[in-house]
Amino acid sequence: MKRTTSKGDGVPVPASSRRARLIQASPIRKLNPLADAAKKSGIRVYHLNIGQPDIPTPADYWEAMKCRIPEVLAYGPSQGIPELREAICRYYDRLGTAITSDQVMITTGGSEAVIFAMMAVCDEGDEVICFEPFYTNYNGFATMAGITLVPVRSRVEDGFHLPSDDEIESGFTKRTKAVLVCNPNNPTGTVLEAGELERLAKLVERHNLFLLADEVYRDFTFDARRHASVLDLANIPEQVIVMDSISKRFSSCGARLGNIISRNTEVMEGILKFGQARLCPPTMAQYGAAYLYDKLDESYFRKVSDTYQSRRDVLVEELEGVEGVFFLKPEGAFYATIRIPVKDADDFAAWMLTGFNVDGRTTMVAPAAGFYATPGLGLDEVRIAYVLKEEDMRTSLDILKKGLAVYPGRKA
Amino acid sequence: MKRTTSKGDGVPVPASSRRARLIQASPIRKLNPLADAAKKSGIRVYHLNIGQPDIPTPADYWEAMKCRIPEVLAYGPSQGIPELREAICRYYDRLGTAITSDQVMITTGGSEAVIFAMMAVCDEGDEVICFEPFYTNYNGFATMAGITLVPVRSRVEDGFHLPSDDEIESGFTKRTKAVLVCNPNNPTGTVLEAGELERLAKLVERHNLFLLADEVYRDFTFDARRHASVLDLANIPEQVIVMDSISKRFSSCGARLGNIISRNTEVMEGILKFGQARLCPPTMAQYGAAYLYDKLDESYFRKVSDTYQSRRDVLVEELEGVEGVFFLKPEGAFYATIRIPVKDADDFAAWMLTGFNVDGRTTMVAPAAGFYATPGLGLDEVRIAYVLKEEDMRTSLDILKKGLAVYPGRKA
């Protein structure tokens, strides 16, 4: 049966697809109209709700592009320009991971990397295991591609580290094709230990699954942690697919460049064909990115990572021990998912924008329920992105605390 | 049953998805390895196989961007920056079509516009009517999205204009959700007449379908033809979705900017949510494009269109009347699909790269079978993109004629 909607004059018009109607609106962006209204009324809003770094895009990015302005801005290769793919191989080589350029495919943002990877391992109705809370946009990609995300819960009490093998395996069915991790994690800031990855490797090997890893935050780990990549799991080289991006690495979210890395030839052939359909990723940004991959070394990433670590420290100083607030110290990326003493964090986040301010200033956070797939979970949690300067972090968290103290929906 | 492939040591590894295995390789690009080999051996290859214009990207594109280099290259709005959406409204206003900026969504290339539009009107298993030959990448998007393209044939003898209503309706089933046209057409260069669009409007109204129109070549029409847009079909405003791109309009294929236009609120809401999942289109290119939409008027498009028309004229001069060659004069875009006297145009195109040259030069064309969905059709046709300077067009077509004359697989 074709569902129809009705024009004003009663004449039927065709309905949009189920996926168009059912795909979730971004929980990170859905409070934006309230923030806009607050700003219009003169309130200054501190954005802890979105992972938009304030780190300047390296000037070399722009310089590298200016040198390459062509007469005709033409299509590039579907898999990306060779100099970027080779620069990425050198980046991995410096990290001790051997990758060849035919194992690298450049994508339009990490977003395209995720949807291509999902589509390369799943057909409609197939399932992917995700640890909730997870990056909410995975939901959108799964809806578009007709894939079911099966959530396995991780808990704030465990610092959102992996649950037991039994809990993970409880999510497996005949339709399971992959396990998906985000490491370091958005929205929790958790960094998986090498041992946890080994545990996943054994599970996917035993069940003959793919292991998909979103490693876009890999350069940002705190307290001298070293990032463990799924690319270094020796036993399952053909089962691993990494999704990456330059958005956070080089503070260039608007460039829309990411990449997929896999040693599985069949997977990479399929992904190349997906890529051929959309022709190519943006051409100019690739010149800039290639230059940065070679030019910026560990010392640059250390500096940026230390900046986020200092902000993380401010977060811990400000919120640790606050009554009713609970979280373990985030280990990487620039996020924390925090339990707060409210019944409905959605309502709290909206109230901060509409019913509360301190001297004309307020703080915007992302309600965590949107990062969970299981209804009812995360209702008393928010995600905080620590992407502001230390001073602004301190001010905005102080406002958050003051709001929490007087919020009418506070848990008794 | 989970299909598995085998590692060298006999241990099973999971198989990629059906869609990854079955999606077609680009028929436009699949002969590239032969072309590369030819070039390596010193042969100059004239590329009539790919729609990469040689028209310079307007210098203002770069200047407009340089003025807007930000400190942080941040995410932009998911629907695109307001100044670009408003500039597109002014472009349409000059053409006499009223569009508001909330009816415009900026996409990452025309490619994303097509896949978003398809996904907005179709769920898995739904069908879209296409007139074959059609732009081959529609196949890729359909495979990714789980949609079935149902081909209705158009014929070289009719200049690839629309078949009869009966023929079109013969493709309709209960799963049909939309009719898709490309106008002006890639790969045929056909420009639909206003009457043909009216005919389609009646059909989609009667059957309660969407009408999707890829109008990326709308600025390029020949012999004083005026382009008729589906946006001007007064009776079906909520059933029309236009997919567009700046790639050809401003000779900026590598920018990866396109757009979707629809007056259907439900469709646009769904597409915005698809867009939120992938965050945003490339930020910088939007500044350049916004500037060009306002700065370049009808006189610019006229000049570019006249350039393509002159090349089209060379094509007609060189190939009309050649024995066994048949086509009607192309009316727009910069393509022609041409019947040639061979049994297998795939083999002919490959042979031109491997077995033939004139003084160290040869010509690459795209076999047309890849533009047909029905097996066996288009085997004696090739697509020619007239994107080279007149002199090069003349040389490359002369080489093509000489090749045709001596090709061993020539039809008796």
Side-chain angles (χ1 to χ4, degrees):
Chain A
M1 262 283 296
K2 189 169 294 163
R3 203 185 72 100
T4 61
T5 57
S6 189
K7 279 196 276 202
D9 56 2
V11 180
V13 298
S16 61
S17 63
R18 278 190 82 240
R19 56 182 148 199
R21 281 174 279 127
L22 297 186
I23 187 172
Q24 71 171 14
S26 166
I28 304 170
R29 293 175 176 229
K30 73 178 176 183
L31 296 174
N32 281 353
L34 299 183
D36 291 343
K39 287 174 198 168
K40 247 188 192 158
S41 72
I43 304 276
R44 171 166 178 191
V45 177
Y46 291 95
H47 284 277
L48 301 184
N49 63 305
I50 189 160
Q52 172 55 62
D54 65 349
I55 307 285
T57 308
D60 284 330
Y61 174 78
W62 306 108
E63 293 309 316
M65 281 199 289
K66 280 182 194 164
C67 305
R68 301 295 288 268
I69 291 179
E71 197 194 352
V72 180
L73 178 53
Y75 291 123
S78 294
Q79 64 270 53
I81 62 171
E83 70 187 83
L84 175 55
R85 294 158 67 217
E86 286 157 14
I88 290 173
C89 293
R90 288 188 289 272
Y91 163 86
Y92 275 104
D93 188 59
R94 292 194 299 271
L95 292 164
T97 301
I99 294 293
T100 59
S101 65
D102 57 324
Q103 294 163 346
V104 180
M105 162 100 181
I106 308 302
T107 57
T108 305
S111 300
E112 190 180 72
V114 174
I115 194 161
F116 278 3
M118 282 185 175
M119 290 197 305
V121 304
C122 287
D123 287 303
E124 291 87 4
D126 285 341
E127 297 172 358
V128 173
I129 299 287
C130 273
F131 298 98
E132 62 180 348
F134 56 80
Y135 177 48
T136 179
N137 287 7
Y138 297 156
N139 279 317
F141 302 133
T143 303
M144 284 193 247
I147 293 164
T148 303
L149 298 183
V150 174
V152 173
R153 188 175 178 186
S154 66
R155 289 176 167 79
V156 64
E157 292 83 358
D158 306 323
F160 296 105
H161 278 275
L162 291 188
S164 70
D165 283 8
D166 282 352
E167 284 175 90
I168 298 171
E169 285 181 300
S170 73
F172 290 0
T173 74
K174 281 183 184 164
R175 299 302 301 261
T176 307
K177 292 297 297 273
V179 174
L180 166 60
V181 294
C182 177
N183 179 36
N185 190 277
N186 173 8
T188 66
T190 306
V191 178
L192 295 178
E193 289 158 18
E196 288 176 283
L197 292 187
E198 292 290 346
R199 195 145 67 77
L200 285 179
K202 280 190 187 125
L203 282 175
V204 303
E205 191 171 20
R206 191 183 320 146
H207 294 270
N208 198 30
L209 305 172
F210 285 101
L211 178 56
L212 273 48
D214 175 344
E215 299 190 348
V216 304
Y217 299 99
R218 74 164 291 161
D219 305 304
F220 311 137
T221 55
F222 309 148
D223 312 316
R225 268 181 193 80
R226 198 181 176 285
H227 176 260
S229 171
V230 294
L231 290 171
D232 298 326
L233 292 167
N235 287 335
I236 54 164
E238 292 179 89
Q239 286 164 259
V240 160
I241 303 176
V242 163
M243 302 156 293
D244 202 348
S245 164
I246 67 161
S247 292
K248 320 291 167 161
R249 175 165 298 132
F250 302 132
S251 199
S252 54
C253 299
R256 313 313 297 133
L257 277 187
N259 62 76
I260 295 179
I261 297 172
S262 176
R263 299 185 179 98
N264 183 310
T265 311
E266 185 183 78
V267 162
M268 290 307 283
E269 282 169 1
I271 287 172
L272 174 58
K273 289 185 288 178
F274 295 153
Q276 286 179 338
R278 63 73 165 120
L279 300 169
C280 66
T283 302
M284 295 307 295
Q286 293 184 70
Y287 296 127
Y291 189 77
L292 294 187
Y293 264 105
D294 277 330
K295 169 106 181 182
L296 300 179
D297 60 7
E298 180 56 23
S299 67
Y300 170 81
F301 296 123
R302 198 64 268 149
K303 212 177 77 186
V304 177
S305 194
D306 286 348
T307 303
Y308 289 126
Q309 182 173 324
S310 302
R311 295 169 180 185
R312 188 274 320 257
D313 292 342
V314 173
L315 178 85
V316 172
E317 277 171 47
E318 292 291 327
L319 294 185
E320 209 171 46
V322 171
E323 205 191 326
V325 171
F326 183 79
F327 63 103
L328 298 190
K329 198 189 261 194
E331 301 160 336
F334 40 68
Y335 301 102
T337 293
I338 289 177
R339 183 187 294 156
I340 57 173
V342 304
K343 290 195 245 356
D344 179 356
D346 250 276
D347 182 74
F348 170 71
W351 175 83
M352 286 292 291
L353 295 169
T354 55
F356 183 76
N357 71 80
V358 175
D359 303 330
R361 294 170 304 176
T362 195
T363 298
M364 185 170 180
V365 293
F371 298 92
Y372 286 85
T374 305
L377 293 187
L379 290 177
D380 60 353
E381 292 173 2
V382 292
R383 184 191 76 169
I384 289 177
Y386 31 102
V387 289
L388 304 184
K389 287 177 188 56
E390 280 181 50
E391 189 191 317
D392 290 336
M393 282 301 300
R394 219 171 276 282
T395 307
S396 57
L397 291 170
D398 189 60
I399 294 167
L400 188 73
K401 277 192 288 189
K402 287 181 169 139
L404 272 175
V406 301
Y407 170 58
R410 188 180 165 94
K411 259 185 200 160
Chain B
M1 262 283 297
K2 190 167 293 162
R3 201 186 73 101
T4 60
T5 57
S6 191
K7 279 195 276 204
D9 56 2
V11 180
V13 297
S16 61
S17 63
R18 277 189 83 243
R19 57 182 148 199
R21 280 173 280 128
L22 296 186
I23 188 172
Q24 71 172 14
S26 167
I28 305 170
R29 293 176 175 230
K30 73 178 175 181
L31 296 174
N32 281 354
L34 299 184
D36 291 343
K39 287 174 198 169
K40 248 190 192 155
S41 73
I43 304 277
R44 172 166 177 191
V45 178
Y46 291 95
H47 284 277
L48 301 183
N49 62 305
I50 188 159
Q52 172 56 62
D54 65 349
I55 308 283
T57 309
D60 284 329
Y61 174 79
W62 307 108
E63 294 308 316
M65 282 199 290
K66 279 183 194 164
C67 306
R68 301 296 289 268
I69 290 180
E71 195 193 354
V72 180
L73 178 53
Y75 290 122
S78 295
Q79 64 269 53
I81 63 172
E83 70 186 84
L84 175 54
R85 293 158 67 218
E86 287 155 16
I88 290 173
C89 292
R90 289 189 289 273
Y91 163 86
Y92 275 104
D93 188 59
R94 292 194 299 271
L95 291 164
T97 301
I99 293 293
T100 59
S101 65
D102 56 325
Q103 294 165 344
V104 180
M105 162 101 182
I106 308 302
T107 57
T108 305
S111 301
E112 191 180 72
V114 174
I115 194 161
F116 278 4
M118 283 185 176
M119 290 197 306
V121 303
C122 287
D123 288 303
E124 292 87 6
D126 285 341
E127 297 173 359
V128 173
I129 299 286
C130 273
F131 299 97
E132 61 180 348
F134 56 79
Y135 176 49
T136 178
N137 287 6
Y138 297 156
N139 280 318
F141 303 133
T143 303
M144 283 192 246
I147 293 164
T148 304
L149 298 183
V150 175
V152 173
R153 188 175 179 185
S154 67
R155 290 177 168 77
V156 64
E157 292 83 359
D158 305 323
F160 295 106
H161 278 274
L162 292 188
S164 70
D165 284 7
D166 283 352
E167 284 175 271
I168 298 172
E169 286 180 301
S170 73
F172 290 0
T173 74
K174 283 185 182 161
R175 298 302 303 262
T176 307
K177 292 297 298 273
V179 175
L180 167 60
V181 294
C182 178
N183 178 36
N185 190 279
N186 173 9
T188 66
T190 305
V191 178
L192 294 178
E193 290 157 18
E196 287 176 284
L197 292 188
E198 292 290 347
R199 195 145 66 77
L200 284 178
K202 280 189 189 128
L203 282 174
V204 303
E205 192 171 20
R206 190 183 321 147
H207 293 270
N208 197 31
L209 305 172
F210 286 100
L211 178 55
L212 273 49
D214 176 343
E215 298 190 348
V216 305
Y217 300 98
R218 75 163 290 160
D219 305 304
F220 311 137
T221 55
F222 309 147
D223 311 315
R225 269 181 192 81
R226 199 181 175 284
H227 177 259
S229 171
V230 293
L231 290 171
D232 299 326
L233 292 168
N235 287 335
I236 53 165
E238 294 179 88
Q239 286 165 259
V240 160
I241 304 175
V242 163
M243 302 156 292
D244 201 347
S245 164
I246 68 161
S247 292
K248 320 291 167 159
R249 175 165 296 131
F250 302 132
S251 199
S252 54
C253 299
R256 310 315 296 133
L257 277 187
N259 62 76
I260 294 180
I261 297 172
S262 176
R263 299 186 180 99
N264 184 310
T265 311
E266 186 182 78
V267 163
M268 290 307 282
E269 283 170 0
I271 287 172
L272 175 57
K273 290 185 286 178
F274 295 153
Q276 287 180 339
R278 62 74 165 118
L279 299 169
C280 66
T283 302
M284 295 307 294
Q286 294 184 71
Y287 296 127
Y291 189 77
L292 293 187
Y293 263 105
D294 278 330
K295 169 104 181 182
L296 299 179
D297 61 7
E298 181 54 23
S299 68
Y300 170 81
F301 296 124
R302 199 63 268 148
K303 212 177 77 184
V304 176
S305 196
D306 286 348
T307 303
Y308 290 127
Q309 182 173 325
S310 301
R311 294 169 180 183
R312 187 274 322 256
D313 291 342
V314 172
L315 179 83
V316 173
E317 277 171 47
E318 292 290 329
L319 294 186
E320 209 172 45
V322 171
E323 204 191 325
V325 171
F326 183 79
F327 62 105
L328 297 190
K329 199 191 259 194
E331 301 160 335
F334 40 67
Y335 301 102
T337 294
I338 289 177
R339 183 187 294 155
I340 56 173
V342 304
K343 290 194 242 6
D344 178 357
D346 249 277
D347 182 73
F348 170 71
W351 175 82
M352 285 292 292
L353 295 168
T354 56
F356 183 74
N357 71 81
V358 174
D359 303 330
R361 296 170 303 176
T362 194
T363 298
M364 186 170 180
V365 294
F371 298 91
Y372 286 86
T374 305
L377 292 187
L379 290 177
D380 59 352
E381 292 173 4
V382 292
R383 184 191 75 170
I384 289 177
Y386 31 101
V387 290
L388 304 184
K389 286 177 189 55
E390 281 181 49
E391 187 191 317
D392 291 336
M393 283 301 300
R394 220 170 275 282
T395 308
S396 57
L397 291 169
D398 189 61
I399 294 167
L400 187 72
K401 280 192 286 188
K402 287 184 168 136
L404 271 175
V406 301
Y407 169 58
R410 187 181 165 95
K411 261 185 198 160

